[in-house]
Amino acid sequence: MSGLFSYLSDVHGIVLNDQQKKAISTQARSTLLLAVPGSGKTTVLTARIAYCLSVLHISPARILTLTFSRETAADMQRRYTALFSAFPQVRFSTIHSFCYRVLHLYAKQYRRRLPTLLAGENAAVKYRILRDAVRKATGRYPAEDQLEEIEQEIGRIKNRMLSPQQSESGIEAFEDIYQTYAAACKEGRFMDFDDMLVLCWDIFRRCPDILNRVQDQYDAVCVDEAQDTSLLQHRIIALLVQKGAMLFMVGDEDQSIYSFRGASPEELLRFSELYHDAAVFKMEANYRSEKEIVVLADRFIAQNQMRYEKHMYCGTDRNAKGAVEIVRLADCCGQYGRIAARLKEGMGKGKQAVLYRNNESAVPLIDLLLREKIAYTCREQEMPFFNSDTVEDVRAYLRLAADPCDIEAFSRLYYKLGCSRLIFLYTKEHIAEYPSVFDCAASFSSLPEYRRNWLLKSRDIFRKLLSMRPANVIDIIRKELGYDRFIERRMNGYTKISAYQKLSALSLIASGLKHPIDLNTRLSVLSEAVRRGGGEEEPVILSTIHSSKGMEFDTVYLLDLYDDVLPSCDAKRQRSEGDVSAYENEVRLFYVAATRAKRRLVLFEGNRLNGEEVEPSPFIRQFTDRRTDKPERSRKRIETLKPQTRVRHASFGDGTVLYVKDDFITISFDLAGCKRLSLPVCEQRRLLVPITLD
C-alpha cells in the first residue's frame, strides 16, 4: 500500500493527504467518496484502480469502471495511462456502453434481434420520429429548441423511472407525444440511448441467468461522477454488486447539475441505507482556487438542505486579495463590451472562460468577439438559438418587411398579427390580386372593423421597418407589432424568459449593423461561426456552465446573472410550494460555475436590460456577503405526518406520505406524482395539512 503512495510521490511528485489515502486503501465492500471541487478526485479514483490491481490482486478484466459520458471516460483513460503506464491497463466506459454489452449478451443467448440504436447515421431517424409525434399530438411541427426540450424530458422520465403522466415540464400534450414516440420506436424496432438503460434493467429483472452471469464477471465496480447518475442507473449498479463485488463510487452531490437529464443526487444521500456495509469518505481540500473563492463557495452551498455536511477548505497557501469581483453596470447589455475589453487585457495571462446559463447569452458575445478579432473557442457547436421559434419569427418579420407579399413569412406570423387560419388561407389564395398580405387579409368580407384597421396599421409599420435604425427594429416588433403580447399570451415560466433573452440578444446584434435586413445575413454568419467553434485550444473559452463541468480556468466571467435566469423563475415557484429540489439545483449550478475559477471570479450585475427593469441574481449577494437564506429549522414537527398518512398540499393536491426523515417529507401525490418536500418551508407557509376522516 505504501508502495503505491511512494510511487505517486517519487515518479509523479503527487503527495496525497490523509483523506485521499484512506479513500484509496479502504477495505469496505461499498464506498462513497465525496470529493469537493479541485480535490483531486480523478487522481484518487485512478489510484484506487491501481490499488485494486496491485494490493487486492484483482484482475484488470474483473474491474468495471463506469462514468457519465464518453468524454469523461476518455479523459479517465488518458489520466490512468499517464499515471500508471507500468500497471495493467483497465477499460473505462460509460454506463450506456456497458448496458449495450448486456443487451448483446441477451440477444446472443436468447437468439433475439436487438432494436436499431438511434445514433450516428440513424440520429436523423430519431428526430423525424419525434417531430412526427409532436405534429400528430399538437398539429404543429416543433422548432429545434422545442424539440430539444421534448427530447430531454423523455430522457428524464425514463431515467427517473416515472410515467409520462408524472411529467411536470408543462410541454403541450407531452403524454401523447411520449406514447406516440414510444409506439413508433417499437414498430420500427428502434431504441434510443435511454432505452438501452430501460431494456438492461428489464433484462436483469426478467432473466436471472443473465444477471448472475454479469455479476460473476466482476470483483470491483468503480463509478465516477456519481452525482450525475440517474435513479435508473443507480438501480442497475446496485444489482451489479449484489453478489459481493466491491463498489467504489466517487461524486459530490453539491456538483449535481443535470437534473434535467434525470440525475438523482438523492441516491447519494441514501447511500448508507442502500448499502448496509457502506463507508462514506470526504475529500474537502480544494487545491484549485484562491482561498477567497473557496471560502465564499463553501458558505454559499451551505444554504442547501439536501447535502452531506462537509466544509471545503483551501489546500494551498494561495490567498490573493480581490479574487472575487463584482462589476456593476447601468445596463446588463454593457457586460459584453466589458468582457471583451477584459479578455484583451488578459491575453497571455492564463486561460480565461466566459460562462453562462443559456446559449443565447453567448451569441451577442461571439458577434462582438468576431468584430474585435478576439480569438476564442466555443464549447457548444450546436445552438438551437438560431433555429428557435423566436429567432425564426424575427427573421420572418424582416422578410415580410422586405417583401410584403411573402406568403411563407406570413404563414409564421398571421396568428401573431391577430389573423385566423381561415383568413390566412383566404390570403394565400388571393394574394396575387393585392399589393400586400395586409391589404389582402383586410379585404376578407367578414373581418371585424377593428381587426381590419389593425391590419392596415401593421402594413404601415412594416413599410417603415426597413428605414429604421437596426437597434430600434426589434423594439418595434415587440411593442408596436404586438410580439410581446403574443409571448405573454402563449408562453409561461422559463419559456417566456428564454424568449425575452433571445430578443435581447437579437437587439444587441442588430445594434452593430447598418441596415435592418442585414440581421438575417449576420445571423447566418454567426451560426456558421458557432458551428466551427472558433479556434483550437484558444486561451479564451466560451461555455455553458453545464459544459464547463470538470474544467478549470485562471479567470472566470459569469454572464447574465439576473433574477429569473439564475435562479430560474420555475425553480423559485416550486420552492414557494415547498419543493426545494429545483431551487437547490440552481444553487449547485452557481456553485459549480464559481469553483471553475482558479485565480479570479468576475460577476456582472445590472438593473436594466434593453431598457427594461430587471433584478440582479440574488446569488450575487448570497455569494459575496457570506450569508445564506436557508430556512429556519422547524421547532415543532407536525406529529401526524407519518408514513401512510393522507395529506393535502396547497398546490399538489391530495397524497400519501411515504416517509419522513430529518427536514424532508416524501409524498406520493394522486395527480402530481412523487415529491420530496422541505418540511420547514411547508410548515412556515402552511402548505401541507393532514386530511382528517370524519
Side-chain angles (χ1 to χ4, degrees):
M1 180 175 66
S2 60
L4 177 63
F5 301 151
S6 298
Y7 167 83
L8 285 170
S9 176
D10 297 341
V11 177
H12 297 289
I14 298 174
V15 180
L16 301 172
N17 62 33
D18 289 341
Q19 287 183 328
Q20 293 169 326
K21 290 177 180 178
K22 287 179 181 178
I24 292 169
S25 58
T26 179
Q27 300 292 314
R29 180 177 158 188
S30 304
T31 301
L32 173 62
L33 175 60
L34 302 168
V36 305
S39 61
K41 63 102 174 171
T42 303
T43 298
V44 169
L45 181 56
T46 54
R48 172 65 183 181
I49 295 169
Y51 179 85
C52 289
L53 294 166
S54 61
V55 179
L56 301 181
H57 304 294
I58 299 175
S59 166
R62 298 189 64 80
I63 299 175
L64 177 64
T65 61
L66 302 173
T67 190
F68 178 64
S69 66
R70 282 178 288 185
E71 293 79 8
T72 307
D75 182 61
M76 289 292 291
Q77 192 80 61
R78 287 191 296 269
R79 295 285 295 274
Y80 177 82
T81 303
L83 288 176
F84 302 103
S85 57
F87 287 63
Q89 292 303 293
V90 176
R91 179 182 178 183
F92 292 80
S93 63
T94 65
I95 191 167
H96 288 88
S97 64
F98 164 77
C99 290
Y100 199 53
R101 296 198 297 271
V102 173
L103 298 188
H104 272 283
L105 177 63
Y106 167 80
K108 183 179 180 180
Q109 184 158 324
Y110 286 88
R111 298 182 179 181
R112 303 289 177 83
R113 183 166 67 90
L114 285 180
T116 302
L117 181 61
L118 291 171
E121 61 183 19
N122 293 317
V125 177
K126 175 183 179 178
Y127 292 110
R128 176 181 59 76
I129 294 172
L130 198 53
R131 284 192 187 93
D132 289 344
V134 176
R135 182 195 58 77
K136 185 176 180 180
T138 66
R140 302 183 300 276
Y141 281 107
E144 291 298 318
D145 56 340
Q146 294 173 316
L147 199 65
E148 183 182 41
E149 183 185 10
I150 293 166
E151 181 188 16
Q152 283 181 354
E153 182 63 7
I154 290 174
R156 191 188 73 85
I157 289 294
K158 292 176 181 177
N159 275 278
R160 297 287 292 184
M161 305 177 77
L162 301 172
S163 67
Q165 295 91 337
Q166 293 174 294
S167 171
E168 298 178 347
S169 64
I171 296 172
E172 180 185 0
F174 176 77
E175 186 178 347
D176 291 339
I177 294 170
Y178 184 102
Q179 301 291 6
T180 304
Y181 171 75
C185 287
K186 185 177 181 180
E187 183 180 354
R189 292 195 58 78
F190 295 118
M191 65 178 175
D192 58 29
F193 277 103
D194 299 309
D195 288 330
M196 288 195 298
L197 305 175
V198 174
L199 291 171
C200 180
W201 168 250
D202 189 54
I203 289 168
F204 279 168
R205 289 188 301 162
R206 290 189 300 102
C207 307
D209 56 329
I210 297 289
L211 176 60
N212 285 327
R213 185 172 171 181
V214 175
Q215 288 173 331
D216 290 340
Q217 290 179 2
Y218 303 108
D219 295 323
V221 177
C222 298
V223 182
D224 189 27
E225 303 290 356
Q227 74 281 347
D228 299 324
T229 305
S230 71
L231 178 63
L232 177 57
Q233 292 166 353
H234 275 292
R235 294 290 183 268
I236 292 170
I237 292 167
L239 284 178
L240 280 177
V241 299
Q242 217 172 38
K243 287 181 71 173
M246 298 181 74
L247 175 63
F248 190 83
M249 191 172 280
V250 182
D252 181 13
E253 79 286 1
D254 289 336
Q255 298 183 72
S256 179
I257 57 175
Y258 287 103
S259 60
F260 63 92
R261 293 181 183 171
S264 184
E266 299 90 347
E267 294 303 290
L268 298 188
L269 299 176
R270 299 179 59 225
F271 191 82
S272 295
E273 298 174 25
L274 298 170
Y275 305 96
H276 299 295
D277 53 352
V280 178
F281 295 93
K282 300 174 185 178
M283 293 195 325
E284 298 167 295
N286 179 311
Y287 297 99
R288 172 189 298 157
S289 306
E290 293 285 349
K291 185 176 180 178
E292 182 182 7
I293 298 172
V294 172
V295 170
L296 294 179
D298 181 61
R299 295 187 182 185
F300 176 77
I301 197 64
Q303 69 181 280
N304 275 3
Q305 301 176 60
M306 293 188 291
R307 64 187 299 266
Y308 284 95
E309 188 70 27
K310 56 183 179 291
H311 295 284
M312 181 171 59
Y313 64 91
C314 189
T316 69
D317 58 359
R318 294 202 306 269
N319 192 21
K321 300 297 182 183
V324 178
E325 178 187 2
I326 300 176
V327 178
R328 294 181 172 86
L329 305 165
D331 193 300
C332 293
C333 297
Q335 62 191 330
Y336 295 100
R338 291 288 189 95
I339 286 175
R342 293 285 189 97
L343 292 177
K344 279 187 176 180
E345 293 172 6
M347 293 297 184
K349 299 179 181 178
K351 193 174 266 188
Q352 305 179 84
V354 183
L355 305 184
Y356 35 84
R357 196 245 174 83
N358 302 313
N359 277 310
E360 47 257 36
S361 296
V363 180
L365 181 61
I366 292 172
D367 178 56
L368 183 58
L369 296 182
L370 290 175
R371 296 181 189 279
E372 297 289 328
K373 295 181 171 53
I374 300 174
Y376 69 91
T377 298
C378 185
R379 293 271 295 166
E380 290 81 25
Q381 298 180 6
E382 295 291 334
M383 287 191 186
F385 170 91
F386 296 101
N387 298 313
S388 66
D389 270 346
T390 303
V391 174
E392 289 294 343
D393 284 347
V394 170
R395 286 186 166 194
Y397 277 107
L398 294 173
R399 292 203 309 272
L400 194 57
D403 179 5
C405 292
D406 190 330
I407 197 68
E408 184 181 348
F410 189 60
S411 70
R412 287 198 63 90
L413 303 177
Y414 70 87
Y415 58 95
K416 301 175 180 79
L417 294 168
C419 295
S420 65
R421 178 72 176 173
L422 183 63
I423 295 173
F424 167 70
L425 294 174
Y426 170 84
T427 304
K428 186 177 181 180
E429 184 178 350
H430 297 90
I431 183 60
E433 306 167 21
Y434 294 89
S436 75
V437 294
F438 304 100
D439 292 290
C440 185
S443 72
F444 189 72
S445 59
S446 59
L447 193 68
E449 189 65 23
Y450 78 92
R451 187 63 67 192
R452 181 175 289 105
N453 291 338
W454 164 247
L455 282 169
L456 297 176
K457 181 182 177 183
S458 297
R459 177 198 63 189
D460 295 339
I461 295 172
F462 269 87
R463 285 174 176 173
K464 299 175 183 177
L465 208 59
L466 297 186
S467 63
M468 298 176 180
R469 292 175 57 201
N472 295 337
V473 168
I474 304 299
D475 194 55
I476 296 297
I477 291 172
R478 293 178 58 179
K479 302 297 191 292
E480 295 192 31
L481 290 173
Y483 196 66
D484 276 7
R485 289 196 300 274
F486 165 76
I487 291 174
E488 293 293 332
R489 188 171 65 251
R490 298 289 294 270
M491 302 180 187
N492 53 58
Y494 200 76
T495 304
K496 181 168 69 175
I497 298 296
S498 179
Y500 284 134
Q501 271 197 293
K502 291 180 175 70
L503 290 170
S504 174
L506 291 172
S507 183
L508 283 167
I509 296 166
S511 66
L513 303 173
K514 293 181 179 180
H515 195 276
I517 202 64
D518 293 339
L519 179 59
N520 280 340
T521 305
R522 187 62 181 173
L523 287 172
S524 298
V525 171
L526 292 174
S527 178
E528 178 60 21
V530 168
R531 189 189 65 78
R532 293 196 307 269
E536 294 292 329
E537 298 298 320
E538 296 290 348
V540 174
I541 306 294
L542 312 183
S543 174
T544 61
I545 299 172
H546 289 96
S547 295
S548 73
K549 185 81 176 300
M551 303 183 73
E552 59 183 36
F553 312 94
D554 293 281
T555 302
V556 168
Y557 303 94
L558 291 187
L559 265 181
D560 284 344
L561 293 179
Y562 49 89
D563 205 16
D564 291 339
V565 172
L566 188 64
S568 75
C569 55
D570 292 337
K572 289 162 55 183
R573 174 186 54 78
Q574 291 176 43
R575 186 175 70 156
S576 71
E577 298 169 336
D579 186 354
V580 299
S581 52
Y583 190 87
E584 294 202 352
N585 189 75
E586 301 292 288
V587 173
R588 293 193 294 267
L589 193 61
F590 188 95
Y591 173 79
V592 166
T595 53
R596 298 312 92 194
K598 295 166 63 177
R599 306 292 185 185
R600 194 166 184 82
L601 174 66
V602 184
L603 314 174
F604 291 89
E605 179 182 271
N607 296 100
R608 296 184 70 79
L609 182 65
N610 287 329
E612 304 287 338
E613 294 287 339
V614 294
E615 290 292 327
S617 169
F619 290 167
I620 297 174
R621 288 286 170 266
Q622 292 174 16
F623 188 84
T624 56
D625 289 353
R626 305 174 180 242
R627 294 196 297 263
T628 67
D629 61 352
K630 186 175 182 178
E632 294 181 8
R633 294 179 70 89
S634 174
R635 296 178 181 172
K636 184 180 179 181
R637 186 58 38 84
I638 303 175
E639 297 295 333
T640 53
L641 296 186
K642 298 177 180 178
Q644 303 308 309
T645 302
R646 292 288 290 173
V647 293
R648 180 166 295 148
H649 189 277
S651 298
F652 305 133
D654 295 354
T656 302
V657 176
L658 297 182
Y659 56 86
V660 181
K661 185 176 180 181
D662 300 327
D663 279 343
F664 296 96
I665 183 169
T666 302
I667 302 171
S668 176
F669 289 102
D670 300 344
L671 298 177
C674 191
K675 292 187 178 294
R676 189 168 187 252
L677 306 178
S678 167
L679 268 173
V681 173
C682 288
E683 293 178 352
Q684 290 167 14
R685 300 177 181 176
R686 301 179 180 178
L687 299 173
L688 195 64
V689 295
I691 298 176
T692 55
L693 300 176
D694 297 329

Short mmCIF file of all heavy atoms in Angstrom, two decimals, residues 421-456:
data_model
loop_
_atom_site.label_atom_id
_atom_site.label_comp_id
_atom_site.label_asym_id
_atom_site.label_seq_id
_atom_site.Cartn_x
_atom_site.Cartn_y
_atom_site.Cartn_z
N ARG A 421 -56.76 31.18 -38.99
CA ARG A 421 -56.32 30.27 -40.04
C ARG A 421 -57.13 30.48 -41.32
O ARG A 421 -56.60 30.43 -42.42
CB ARG A 421 -56.46 28.82 -39.55
CG ARG A 421 -56.08 27.76 -40.57
CD ARG A 421 -54.60 27.69 -40.79
NE ARG A 421 -54.23 26.61 -41.69
CZ ARG A 421 -53.00 26.43 -42.16
NH1 ARG A 421 -52.01 27.24 -41.81
NH2 ARG A 421 -52.74 25.43 -42.97
N LEU A 422 -58.43 30.76 -41.14
CA LEU A 422 -59.31 30.98 -42.29
C LEU A 422 -58.85 32.20 -43.09
O LEU A 422 -58.82 32.17 -44.33
CB LEU A 422 -60.75 31.16 -41.82
CG LEU A 422 -61.82 31.33 -42.90
CD1 LEU A 422 -61.88 30.06 -43.78
CD2 LEU A 422 -63.19 31.59 -42.25
N ILE A 423 -58.50 33.28 -42.39
CA ILE A 423 -58.03 34.50 -43.06
C ILE A 423 -56.70 34.22 -43.78
O ILE A 423 -56.47 34.71 -44.89
CB ILE A 423 -57.89 35.65 -42.05
CG1 ILE A 423 -59.26 36.04 -41.49
CG2 ILE A 423 -57.22 36.86 -42.69
CD1 ILE A 423 -59.20 37.05 -40.37
N PHE A 424 -55.82 33.45 -43.15
CA PHE A 424 -54.55 33.10 -43.80
C PHE A 424 -54.79 32.34 -45.10
O PHE A 424 -54.18 32.65 -46.13
CB PHE A 424 -53.67 32.27 -42.87
CG PHE A 424 -52.51 31.63 -43.58
CD1 PHE A 424 -51.45 32.40 -44.05
CD2 PHE A 424 -52.49 30.26 -43.81
CE1 PHE A 424 -50.38 31.82 -44.72
CE2 PHE A 424 -51.42 29.67 -44.48
CZ PHE A 424 -50.36 30.45 -44.94
N LEU A 425 -55.68 31.33 -45.08
CA LEU A 425 -55.95 30.55 -46.28
C LEU A 425 -56.56 31.43 -47.38
O LEU A 425 -56.24 31.27 -48.57
CB LEU A 425 -56.88 29.38 -45.94
CG LEU A 425 -56.28 28.32 -45.02
CD1 LEU A 425 -57.33 27.29 -44.62
CD2 LEU A 425 -55.08 27.63 -45.67
N TYR A 426 -57.43 32.36 -46.98
CA TYR A 426 -58.00 33.31 -47.94
C TYR A 426 -56.89 34.16 -48.56
O TYR A 426 -56.86 34.37 -49.79
CB TYR A 426 -59.04 34.18 -47.25
CG TYR A 426 -59.52 35.35 -48.08
CD1 TYR A 426 -60.54 35.20 -49.00
CD2 TYR A 426 -58.92 36.62 -47.96
CE1 TYR A 426 -60.98 36.28 -49.77
CE2 TYR A 426 -59.35 37.69 -48.71
CZ TYR A 426 -60.37 37.52 -49.62
OH TYR A 426 -60.78 38.59 -50.39
N THR A 427 -55.98 34.66 -47.72
CA THR A 427 -54.88 35.49 -48.19
C THR A 427 -53.97 34.71 -49.13
O THR A 427 -53.52 35.22 -50.16
CB THR A 427 -54.08 36.03 -46.99
OG1 THR A 427 -54.96 36.73 -46.11
CG2 THR A 427 -52.98 36.97 -47.44
N LYS A 428 -53.67 33.47 -48.79
CA LYS A 428 -52.82 32.63 -49.62
C LYS A 428 -53.41 32.42 -51.01
O LYS A 428 -52.70 32.40 -52.02
CB LYS A 428 -52.60 31.28 -48.92
CG LYS A 428 -51.61 30.37 -49.62
CD LYS A 428 -51.42 29.08 -48.81
CE LYS A 428 -50.39 28.17 -49.50
NZ LYS A 428 -50.20 26.91 -48.72
N GLU A 429 -54.74 32.33 -51.07
CA GLU A 429 -55.43 32.08 -52.35
C GLU A 429 -55.54 33.34 -53.20
O GLU A 429 -55.48 33.28 -54.43
CB GLU A 429 -56.82 31.52 -52.06
CG GLU A 429 -57.59 31.13 -53.33
CD GLU A 429 -58.96 30.54 -53.01
OE1 GLU A 429 -59.23 30.25 -51.82
OE2 GLU A 429 -59.75 30.36 -53.97
N HIS A 430 -55.65 34.54 -52.57
CA HIS A 430 -55.94 35.77 -53.31
C HIS A 430 -54.79 36.78 -53.31
O HIS A 430 -54.97 37.91 -53.79
CB HIS A 430 -57.20 36.43 -52.74
CG HIS A 430 -58.44 35.62 -52.87
ND1 HIS A 430 -58.85 34.73 -51.91
CD2 HIS A 430 -59.35 35.57 -53.89
CE1 HIS A 430 -59.98 34.16 -52.29
NE2 HIS A 430 -60.31 34.63 -53.50
N ILE A 431 -53.61 36.42 -52.82
CA ILE A 431 -52.51 37.38 -52.66
C ILE A 431 -52.11 38.03 -53.98
O ILE A 431 -51.70 39.19 -54.02
CB ILE A 431 -51.29 36.73 -51.99
CG1 ILE A 431 -50.18 37.77 -51.76
CG2 ILE A 431 -50.76 35.57 -52.81
CD1 ILE A 431 -50.58 38.91 -50.87
N ALA A 432 -52.25 37.32 -55.09
CA ALA A 432 -51.84 37.85 -56.39
C ALA A 432 -52.64 39.09 -56.79
O ALA A 432 -52.20 39.87 -57.64
CB ALA A 432 -51.96 36.77 -57.47
N GLU A 433 -53.80 39.28 -56.18
CA GLU A 433 -54.68 40.39 -56.54
C GLU A 433 -54.40 41.65 -55.73
O GLU A 433 -55.01 42.70 -55.98
CB GLU A 433 -56.15 39.98 -56.34
CG GLU A 433 -56.54 38.69 -57.08
CD GLU A 433 -57.88 38.15 -56.61
OE1 GLU A 433 -58.67 38.95 -56.04
OE2 GLU A 433 -58.14 36.94 -56.80
N TYR A 434 -53.47 41.60 -54.76
CA TYR A 434 -53.27 42.71 -53.83
C TYR A 434 -51.78 43.06 -53.70
O TYR A 434 -50.91 42.23 -53.96
CB TYR A 434 -53.85 42.36 -52.45
CG TYR A 434 -55.34 42.22 -52.45
CD1 TYR A 434 -55.95 40.98 -52.73
CD2 TYR A 434 -56.16 43.31 -52.19
CE1 TYR A 434 -57.32 40.86 -52.74
CE2 TYR A 434 -57.55 43.18 -52.19
CZ TYR A 434 -58.12 41.96 -52.47
OH TYR A 434 -59.50 41.84 -52.48
N PRO A 435 -51.48 44.31 -53.27
CA PRO A 435 -50.08 44.74 -53.15
C PRO A 435 -49.37 44.20 -51.91
O PRO A 435 -48.16 44.31 -51.81
CB PRO A 435 -50.19 46.27 -53.09
CG PRO A 435 -51.55 46.52 -52.51
CD PRO A 435 -52.43 45.43 -53.06
N SER A 436 -50.14 43.65 -50.95
CA SER A 436 -49.52 43.11 -49.74
C SER A 436 -50.44 42.11 -49.08
O SER A 436 -51.66 42.09 -49.35
CB SER A 436 -49.19 44.23 -48.74
OG SER A 436 -50.38 44.70 -48.10
N VAL A 437 -49.90 41.29 -48.21
CA VAL A 437 -50.72 40.32 -47.46
C VAL A 437 -51.70 41.06 -46.55
O VAL A 437 -52.80 40.55 -46.27
CB VAL A 437 -49.83 39.37 -46.63
CG1 VAL A 437 -48.99 38.47 -47.52
CG2 VAL A 437 -48.96 40.13 -45.64
N PHE A 438 -51.31 42.26 -46.11
CA PHE A 438 -52.18 43.02 -45.20
C PHE A 438 -53.42 43.53 -45.94
O PHE A 438 -54.54 43.45 -45.41
CB PHE A 438 -51.40 44.18 -44.59
CG PHE A 438 -50.15 43.75 -43.89
CD1 PHE A 438 -48.91 43.86 -44.52
CD2 PHE A 438 -50.20 43.20 -42.63
CE1 PHE A 438 -47.75 43.45 -43.87
CE2 PHE A 438 -49.05 42.78 -41.98
CZ PHE A 438 -47.82 42.90 -42.62
N ASP A 439 -53.23 44.07 -47.15
CA ASP A 439 -54.37 44.53 -47.94
C ASP A 439 -55.29 43.36 -48.30
O ASP A 439 -56.52 43.49 -48.27
CB ASP A 439 -53.87 45.21 -49.22
CG ASP A 439 -53.16 46.51 -48.94
OD1 ASP A 439 -53.83 47.50 -48.55
OD2 ASP A 439 -51.93 46.55 -49.08
N CYS A 440 -54.67 42.24 -48.61
CA CYS A 440 -55.46 41.06 -48.97
C CYS A 440 -56.27 40.57 -47.77
O CYS A 440 -57.48 40.33 -47.89
CB CYS A 440 -54.55 39.96 -49.49
SG CYS A 440 -55.43 38.50 -50.10
N ALA A 441 -55.62 40.40 -46.63
CA ALA A 441 -56.32 39.93 -45.43
C ALA A 441 -57.40 40.90 -44.99
O ALA A 441 -58.48 40.48 -44.54
CB ALA A 441 -55.32 39.72 -44.29
N ALA A 442 -57.14 42.21 -45.16
CA ALA A 442 -58.12 43.24 -44.77
C ALA A 442 -59.36 43.22 -45.64
O ALA A 442 -60.40 43.77 -45.25
CB ALA A 442 -57.47 44.63 -44.80
N SER A 443 -59.25 42.61 -46.82
CA SER A 443 -60.40 42.55 -47.73
C SER A 443 -61.36 41.40 -47.41
O SER A 443 -62.40 41.26 -48.06
CB SER A 443 -59.91 42.42 -49.18
OG SER A 443 -59.36 41.12 -49.40
N PHE A 444 -60.99 40.56 -46.46
CA PHE A 444 -61.85 39.44 -46.09
C PHE A 444 -63.21 39.98 -45.62
O PHE A 444 -63.28 40.83 -44.73
CB PHE A 444 -61.17 38.62 -44.98
CG PHE A 444 -61.86 37.33 -44.66
CD1 PHE A 444 -61.82 36.27 -45.54
CD2 PHE A 444 -62.55 37.17 -43.46
CE1 PHE A 444 -62.44 35.06 -45.24
CE2 PHE A 444 -63.17 35.98 -43.15
CZ PHE A 444 -63.12 34.91 -44.04
N SER A 445 -64.28 39.49 -46.21
CA SER A 445 -65.60 40.12 -46.07
C SER A 445 -66.13 40.17 -44.65
O SER A 445 -66.72 41.16 -44.23
CB SER A 445 -66.61 39.40 -46.98
OG SER A 445 -66.68 38.02 -46.62
N SER A 446 -65.92 39.12 -43.87
CA SER A 446 -66.50 39.08 -42.52
C SER A 446 -65.53 39.55 -41.44
O SER A 446 -65.77 39.32 -40.26
CB SER A 446 -66.98 37.66 -42.21
OG SER A 446 -65.91 36.74 -42.29
N LEU A 447 -64.45 40.23 -41.85
CA LEU A 447 -63.46 40.68 -40.88
C LEU A 447 -64.02 41.85 -40.07
O LEU A 447 -64.53 42.83 -40.64
CB LEU A 447 -62.19 41.13 -41.61
CG LEU A 447 -60.94 41.34 -40.74
CD1 LEU A 447 -60.43 40.02 -40.18
CD2 LEU A 447 -59.83 42.02 -41.56
N PRO A 448 -63.96 41.82 -38.73
CA PRO A 448 -64.42 42.95 -37.92
C PRO A 448 -63.63 44.22 -38.25
O PRO A 448 -62.46 44.15 -38.62
CB PRO A 448 -64.14 42.50 -36.48
CG PRO A 448 -64.02 41.00 -36.55
CD PRO A 448 -63.48 40.69 -37.90
N GLU A 449 -64.28 45.36 -38.08
CA GLU A 449 -63.66 46.62 -38.47
C GLU A 449 -62.37 46.89 -37.67
O GLU A 449 -61.38 47.36 -38.23
CB GLU A 449 -64.65 47.77 -38.28
CG GLU A 449 -64.20 49.11 -38.86
CD GLU A 449 -64.07 49.06 -40.39
OE1 GLU A 449 -64.72 48.19 -41.03
OE2 GLU A 449 -63.30 49.87 -40.92
N TYR A 450 -62.40 46.59 -36.38
CA TYR A 450 -61.21 46.86 -35.56
C TYR A 450 -60.03 46.01 -36.02
O TYR A 450 -58.88 46.45 -36.00
CB TYR A 450 -61.51 46.61 -34.09
CG TYR A 450 -61.54 45.15 -33.65
CD1 TYR A 450 -60.40 44.54 -33.17
CD2 TYR A 450 -62.72 44.39 -33.75
CE1 TYR A 450 -60.41 43.21 -32.78
CE2 TYR A 450 -62.74 43.06 -33.37
CZ TYR A 450 -61.58 42.47 -32.89
OH TYR A 450 -61.59 41.15 -32.51
N ARG A 451 -60.33 44.76 -36.49
CA ARG A 451 -59.26 43.90 -36.97
C ARG A 451 -58.72 44.41 -38.30
O ARG A 451 -57.50 44.37 -38.56
CB ARG A 451 -59.77 42.47 -37.14
CG ARG A 451 -58.70 41.45 -37.49
CD ARG A 451 -57.68 41.32 -36.38
NE ARG A 451 -58.28 40.72 -35.18
CZ ARG A 451 -57.70 40.69 -34.00
NH1 ARG A 451 -56.51 41.26 -33.86
NH2 ARG A 451 -58.30 40.13 -32.97
N ARG A 452 -59.63 44.92 -39.18
CA ARG A 452 -59.20 45.49 -40.46
C ARG A 452 -58.30 46.70 -40.23
O ARG A 452 -57.26 46.85 -40.89
CB ARG A 452 -60.42 45.87 -41.29
CG ARG A 452 -60.09 46.46 -42.68
CD ARG A 452 -61.34 46.72 -43.52
NE ARG A 452 -61.95 45.46 -43.95
CZ ARG A 452 -63.06 44.93 -43.43
NH1 ARG A 452 -63.68 45.57 -42.46
NH2 ARG A 452 -63.55 43.80 -43.87
N ASN A 453 -58.67 47.55 -39.30
CA ASN A 453 -57.86 48.74 -39.00
C ASN A 453 -56.48 48.35 -38.47
O ASN A 453 -55.47 49.00 -38.79
CB ASN A 453 -58.59 49.62 -37.99
CG ASN A 453 -59.83 50.27 -38.58
OD1 ASN A 453 -59.96 50.41 -39.80
ND2 ASN A 453 -60.77 50.64 -37.72
N TRP A 454 -56.46 47.31 -37.65
CA TRP A 454 -55.17 46.85 -37.11
C TRP A 454 -54.26 46.32 -38.23
O TRP A 454 -53.06 46.60 -38.25
CB TRP A 454 -55.40 45.77 -36.05
CG TRP A 454 -54.16 44.97 -35.71
CD1 TRP A 454 -53.94 43.65 -35.95
CD2 TRP A 454 -52.98 45.46 -35.11
NE1 TRP A 454 -52.71 43.28 -35.53
CE2 TRP A 454 -52.07 44.37 -35.01
CE3 TRP A 454 -52.57 46.71 -34.63
CZ2 TRP A 454 -50.81 44.48 -34.45
CZ3 TRP A 454 -51.29 46.84 -34.08
CH2 TRP A 454 -50.44 45.74 -33.99
N LEU A 455 -54.82 45.57 -39.18
CA LEU A 455 -54.03 45.05 -40.28
C LEU A 455 -53.45 46.17 -41.14
O LEU A 455 -52.28 46.13 -41.55
CB LEU A 455 -54.87 44.11 -41.14
CG LEU A 455 -55.10 42.71 -40.59
CD1 LEU A 455 -56.16 41.96 -41.38
CD2 LEU A 455 -53.79 41.91 -40.60
N LEU A 456 -54.25 47.19 -41.40
CA LEU A 456 -53.77 48.32 -42.20
C LEU A 456 -52.72 49.12 -41.44
O LEU A 456 -51.75 49.62 -42.04
CB LEU A 456 -54.95 49.20 -42.62
CG LEU A 456 -55.97 48.51 -43.54
CD1 LEU A 456 -57.15 49.43 -43.82
CD2 LEU A 456 -55.32 48.05 -44.84
#
